[in-house]
Amino acid sequence: MQGLGDVAHNIRVDIAYDVDDQHLDGHISILKQSGAEVFVFAGVPENAAKVIRAAADHGWRPVFVVNQMASSIETVLKPAGTENATGVITAAFLKDASDPAWSEDQGAWHSFLDKYTKAGGKDDAAAVYGYAAAETMVQVLKQCGNDLSRENVMRQAAAIRDYQASALLPGIRINTGHFRPVEQLRLLQFDGRSWQPIGDVLDTAFTDARRK
């Protein structure tokens, strides 16, 4: 809420819940009755799918915004019903492994995900994040050269400039200085099949914090 600044007073209702909450449908009913026109969901993929479907079942069609962790087409939007999820918006910095837009991507992350899913892996969003983190760590070690002392590793981790890991969305670059590697996001909207970018790359609140 703090990040919303002066517009925070527009929030109609805020509901906290546990991961294993069995009353999501009831929460949706409360949110609908509030008259809210925008629904921001932050949580795990399984619950995101449930609330998107529940909102549709209640005949409620707000502007639906989900966190990136809960934005996988395969594990969230398809289980929710693509007809219910069409129009959902997210802010992301990583590619969605299940998005057909990246089916021909030759990046190393894609071959890794193929092996991961063939081995029985289910959480593709977490796998992409893990791969991007590992790939960025490799970049840090490359910059260290032969000096792998703690001091130099930390120095290089804070000196990454315009690095684009293969799993990052186009236009997203990693620049460190205060150990906040991701300072950019892209708004995306699901069209029923794929994520479509909305506008240009955006700086995050972390960027402003670093500049102050």
Side-chain angles (χ1 to χ4, degrees):
M1 292 186 188
Q2 185 177 9
L4 293 175
D6 294 338
V7 300
H9 69 276
N10 291 325
I11 297 175
R12 294 293 184 90
V13 62
D14 177 30
I15 297 178
Y17 70 97
D18 295 326
V19 173
D20 59 353
D21 197 325
Q22 300 299 311
H23 304 288
L24 295 178
D25 188 74
H27 297 333
I28 295 299
S29 179
I30 293 171
L31 291 168
K32 178 185 178 182
Q33 292 175 28
S34 75
E37 298 178 351
V38 178
F39 181 7
V40 179
F41 174 87
V44 298
E46 181 180 359
N47 285 339
K50 290 178 180 178
V51 297
I52 293 172
R53 182 176 290 279
D57 290 343
H58 280 270
W60 185 37
R61 302 290 295 188
V63 175
F64 212 121
V65 183
V66 298
N67 55 313
Q68 174 161 326
M69 182 176 68
S71 66
S72 166
I73 293 175
E74 188 64 32
T75 61
V76 177
L77 305 186
K78 286 184 177 179
T82 54
E83 69 283 3
N84 300 325
T86 298
V88 166
I89 294 172
T90 192
F93 60 94
L94 292 171
K95 296 170 181 175
D96 182 345
S98 54
D99 191 332
W102 310 117
S103 61
E104 301 300 323
D105 195 316
Q106 299 300 311
W109 73 278
H110 205 273
S111 57
F112 170 81
L113 261 293
D114 283 342
K115 294 179 181 178
Y116 171 79
T117 53
K118 288 175 181 177
K122 301 297 183 184
D123 193 344
D124 54 357
V128 173
Y129 178 87
Y131 186 86
E135 196 173 25
T136 304
M137 188 66 227
V138 170
Q139 176 64 23
V140 171
L141 295 176
K142 286 180 178 178
Q143 291 180 194
C144 286
N146 294 323
D147 182 359
L148 296 179
S149 64
R150 182 183 188 280
E151 291 75 16
N152 192 41
V153 170
M154 295 301 290
R155 184 183 305 115
Q156 297 306 324
I160 299 177
R161 297 293 179 266
D162 292 326
Y163 174 66
Q164 184 172 31
S166 64
L168 294 179
L169 288 168
I172 303 292
R173 299 288 189 274
I174 292 179
N175 287 281
T176 57
H178 290 269
F179 303 105
R180 297 189 181 103
V182 179
E183 298 179 341
Q184 297 174 311
L185 294 169
R186 297 206 72 145
L187 285 178
L188 306 172
Q189 187 168 37
F190 185 60
D191 67 0
R193 180 177 178 273
S194 179
W195 286 108
Q196 300 298 326
I198 303 173
D200 298 323
V201 172
L202 302 174
D203 287 336
T204 70
F206 291 124
T207 303
D208 292 337
R210 180 173 61 84
R211 291 171 177 168
K212 291 179 180 179

